[in-house]
């Protein structure tokens, strides 16, 4: 009898599979677009990457706000669940990433060279955090945290010429 109730509950609560993953798919497409721009553009890619990343995150946030009822549901045998509270945390994560990108863009305008890798790594970390917000089981949480920490490892030791940055990256990897 307990299984029957759980199956009825999951059938009533399950949404369209692709709609539930719309935020994460959008973030991955945005990261791929930034990677392509970084590889193809030459001197003026700073403005393109900045505008595409901020505009893409704003569009994803708008989709999350205006289509929040379509995103709710269960997937992957209840390993991935999207509730209104999960959507709230995803909105906070996207807003935080927007602020981080804006702060990082002010740092990039003062340096001689521009690299698009931090923008890509911030978005990949956001994908991991977004999956962590909707994880329904421990294995899903573990995989999403590994995605998040992989981007954090690289961002910690990003400045190659700075000894403190390299030391911090090594300590983060060891601990």
């Amino acid at each position: 009898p307990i299984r029957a109730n759980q199956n009825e509950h999951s059938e009533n609560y399950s949404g369209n599979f692709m709609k539930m993953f719309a935020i994460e798919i959008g973030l991955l497409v945005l990261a791929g677009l930034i990677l392509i721009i970084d590889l193809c553009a030459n001197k003026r890619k700073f403005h393109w990457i900045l505008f595409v990343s901020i505009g893409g995150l704003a569009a994803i946030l708008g989709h999350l706000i205006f289509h929040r009822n379509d995103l709710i549901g269960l997937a992957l045998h209840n390993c991935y669940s999207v509730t209104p509270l999960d959507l709230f945390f995803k909105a906070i994560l996207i807003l935080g990433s927007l602020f981080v990108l804006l702060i990082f863009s002010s740092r990039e305008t003062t340096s001689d060279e521009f690299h698009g890798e931090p923008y890509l790594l911030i978005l990949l970390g956001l994908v991991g955090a977004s999956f962590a917000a909707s994880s329904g089981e421990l294995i899903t949480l573990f995989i999403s945290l590994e995605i998040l920490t992989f981007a954090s490892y690289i961002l910690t030791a990003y400045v190659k010429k700075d000894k403190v940055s390299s030391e911090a990256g090594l300590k983060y990897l060891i601990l």
Side-chain angles (χ1 to χ4, degrees), residues 58-157:
I60 291 170
L61 182 64
H63 178 74
L64 187 143
I65 291 170
F66 294 117
H67 297 284
R68 63 183 172 270
N69 292 332
D70 296 336
L71 303 173
I72 295 174
L74 293 171
L76 302 174
H77 298 287
N78 300 340
C79 288
Y80 186 82
S81 65
V82 181
T83 63
L85 186 62
D86 297 335
L87 294 177
F88 175 72
F89 284 125
K90 287 181 184 186
I92 289 175
L93 289 169
I94 292 172
L95 282 173
S97 296
L98 276 170
F99 288 128
V100 168
L101 288 175
L102 287 173
I103 291 170
F104 193 77
S105 68
S106 66
R107 179 192 170 276
E108 285 291 320
T109 55
T110 59
S111 65
D112 295 335
E113 293 182 8
F114 174 76
H115 302 285
E117 292 91 1
Y119 294 90
L120 178 67
L121 290 170
I122 289 169
L123 287 176
L124 292 178
L126 181 59
V127 169
S130 179
F131 272 117
S134 296
S135 63
E137 291 189 2
L138 189 60
I139 189 70
T140 314
L141 180 65
F142 178 75
I143 292 170
S144 59
L145 287 177
E146 284 298 319
I147 295 170
L148 175 62
T149 56
F150 182 71
S152 299
Y153 290 148
I154 298 171
L155 281 173
T156 303

Side-chain angles (χ1 to χ4, degrees), residues 16-90:
N16 189 354
F17 187 76
M18 292 302 286
K19 284 183 182 179
M20 289 176 50
F21 288 100
I23 303 299
E24 289 81 6
I25 291 171
L27 289 171
L28 287 173
V29 167
L30 182 61
L33 187 61
I34 288 175
L35 180 65
I36 290 170
I37 292 172
D38 188 33
L39 291 174
C40 296
N42 48 15
K43 294 180 183 177
R44 303 185 59 85
K45 64 182 173 184
F46 168 71
H47 299 293
W48 283 102
I49 289 178
L50 179 64
F51 294 140
V52 167
S53 60
I54 291 175
L57 281 178
I60 291 170
L61 182 64
H63 178 74
L64 187 143
I65 291 170
F66 294 117
H67 297 284
R68 63 183 172 270
N69 292 332
D70 296 336
L71 303 173
I72 295 174
L74 293 171
L76 302 174
H77 298 287
N78 300 340
C79 288
Y80 186 82
S81 65
V82 181
T83 63
L85 186 62
D86 297 335
L87 294 177
F88 175 72
F89 284 125
K90 287 181 184 186

